[in-house]
């Protein structure tokens, strides 16, 4: 069926979001980690120090910078390693197709038969793919490795997404202190609100309802901050 024969309703509805671009996971994880970790850090400092907001601001800024750079470096290394492994396996498959084209063609046909195609049709499809070595490689990689060799995740995109989103998330609990807050209450309100909103937004790309995802993030982040605040209170100067 050609594009002209596809109904306008189907053409408009049958679109998918990017699930392999390598940006969503580090962006979501970066924002949540920045928000929760810096909120917990600031709460712990508030509970364990009497030095005032300047010391808390310094700690919050240090946490933001260290966390953002750490997240970016970790994401870059992780995604780059994953990409290098994928490329190495792709080269293994390329060599096998060059050395044993007949065996690889029969292997691809067997894969199609396992998916329900008739043997004759599976043989024809595999033969047609193997008429073009590049198409054969792409199909083998997709079927055997579950990846698209033309759409591997980018380590630069992952690192940048993680860095920016971590910094934005970490700034939320710090902002009230930068604006003159003298205690943790404004940061608490802003952080819990942001956690709920972030969770609700994430539900747009998952199967969870917005309120479930929002409440889950709120409770997890709030628990982390409460525990850190308690630790700060226990080991702070007023603990004795």
């Amino acid at each position: 069926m050609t594009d002209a024969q596809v109904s306008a309703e189907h053409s408009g509805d049958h679109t998918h979001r990017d699930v392999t671009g390598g940006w969503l996971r580090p962006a979501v994880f970066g924002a949540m980690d920045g928000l929760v970790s810096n909120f917990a850090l600031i709460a712990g400092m508030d509970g364990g120090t009497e030095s005032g907001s300047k010391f808390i601001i310094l700690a919050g800024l240090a946490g933001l910078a260290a966390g953002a750079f750490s997240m970016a470096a970790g994401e870059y290394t992780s995604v780059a390693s994953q990409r290098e492994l994928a490329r190495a396996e792709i080269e293994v498959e390329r060599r096998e197709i060059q050395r044993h084209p007949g065996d690889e063609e029969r292997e691809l046909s067997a894969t199609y038969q396992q998916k329900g195609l008739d043997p004759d049709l599976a043989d024809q499809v595999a033969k047609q793919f193997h008429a073009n070595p590049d198409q054969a490689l792409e199909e083998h990689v997709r079927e055997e490795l579950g990846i698209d060799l033309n759409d591997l995740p980018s380590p630069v995109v992952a690192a940048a997404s993680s860095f920016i989103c971590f910094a934005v998330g970490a700034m939320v609990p710090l902002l009230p202190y930068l604006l003159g807050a003298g205690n943790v209450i404004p940061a608490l309100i802003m952080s819990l609100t942001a956690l709920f909103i972030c969770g609700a937004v994430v539900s747009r790309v998952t199967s969870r309802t917005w309120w479930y995802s929002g409440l889950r993030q709120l409770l997890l982040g709030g628990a982390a901050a409460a525990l850190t605040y308690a630790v700060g209170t226990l080991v702070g100067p007023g603990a004795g």
Side-chain angles (χ1 to χ4, degrees), residues 37-133:
S37 63
N38 225 31
F39 178 33
L41 172 63
I42 288 171
M45 295 300 298
D46 188 274
T49 182
E50 298 176 355
S51 300
S53 61
K54 288 185 178 180
F55 189 73
I56 295 174
I57 290 173
L58 176 60
L61 289 173
L64 185 156
F69 283 113
S70 176
M71 286 286 293
E75 283 295 338
Y76 184 91
T77 303
S78 174
V79 176
S81 299
Q82 178 186 356
R83 187 184 179 96
E84 290 162 3
L85 174 61
R87 287 192 178 279
E89 291 302 310
I90 289 169
E91 288 306 311
V92 169
E93 192 62 31
R94 188 193 304 275
R95 289 194 298 270
E96 288 300 307
I97 292 173
Q98 292 172 346
R99 294 172 180 173
H100 310 288
D103 291 336
E104 289 294 315
E105 183 178 325
R106 285 187 288 274
E107 182 180 292
L108 188 59
S109 174
T111 299
Y112 293 145
Q113 292 178 46
Q114 291 175 359
K115 290 186 173 184
L117 268 66
D118 293 332
D120 290 341
L121 179 58
D123 289 341
Q124 292 176 20
V125 174
K127 185 176 184 64
Q128 185 168 349
F129 273 118
H130 271 261
N132 184 322

Side-chain angles (χ1 to χ4, degrees), residues 128-202:
Q128 185 168 349
F129 273 118
H130 271 261
N132 184 322
D134 291 335
Q135 288 185 344
L137 176 63
E138 186 173 345
E139 191 66 10
H140 276 277
V141 168
R142 182 181 294 109
E143 292 294 340
E144 297 179 30
L145 302 179
I147 58 176
D148 184 346
L149 59 82
N150 298 312
D151 192 25
L152 297 178
S154 167
V156 174
V157 170
S161 300
S162 181
F163 181 92
I164 293 171
C165 291
F166 185 99
V168 171
M171 181 58 69
V172 172
L174 183 59
L175 188 59
Y177 287 95
L178 293 174
L179 296 176
N183 58 60
V184 77
I185 299 301
L188 173 67
I189 295 172
M190 285 190 63
S191 298
L192 292 180
T193 302
L195 282 167
F196 183 85
I197 292 173
C198 286
V201 169
V202 169

Side-chain angles (χ1 to χ4, degrees), residues 17 198-211 213-214:
R17 292 164 290 191
C198 286
V201 169
V202 169
S203 71
R204 297 286 296 176
V205 293
T206 67
S207 60
R208 293 292 189 181
T209 59
W210 64 270
W211 57 266
S213 186

